[in-house]
Amino acid sequence: MVSNVQRFIEQIAFDVMRQELEKHFDQIYVFDLGGNVRKNPKLSGTTHNVFGIQVAVSVNILVKKQTR
C-alpha cells in the first residue's frame, strides 16, 4: 500500500482504518520515503521524493501470517 504518510499516520480521519488494519494483520511496516515539499520547499522535484509530488509518501507492508 502506498499512502500520504502524514495523513495516514497522524490524522484522526484514518483512526478507524488504522484500527482495522491492526485487527487484520499481524505486522505492519511503514516506510516513510519523505519528501514533503509543503514542510520543506527545498525538497521539490524527484531528488527527495520518489514520485516527484508535493506530499510525503510512505510504502506500507502489511503481513498476515497463515493460520494452520
Side-chain angles (χ1 to χ4, degrees), residues 50-64:
V50 70
F51 296 106
I53 57 177
Q54 292 188 352
V55 296
V57 175
S58 71
V59 173
N60 308 294
I61 299 174
L62 311 171
V63 178
K64 185 169 185 135

Side-chain angles (χ1 to χ4, degrees), residues 1 3 12-14 20-21 25-26 33 35-36 39 41-46 55-57 60-61 68:
M1 176 171 80
S3 69
I12 196 168
F14 286 93
E20 289 299 313
L21 289 172
F25 292 94
D26 298 304
L33 302 181
N36 190 344
K39 287 187 177 179
K42 293 178 184 178
L43 299 178
S44 65
T46 57
V55 296
V57 175
N60 308 294
I61 299 174
R68 297 177 184 194

Side-chain angles (χ1 to χ4, degrees), residues 1-14:
M1 176 171 80
V2 176
S3 69
N4 174 333
V5 70
Q6 273 74 35
R7 288 187 180 176
F8 179 70
I9 297 297
E10 299 170 2
Q11 286 192 350
I12 196 168
F14 286 93

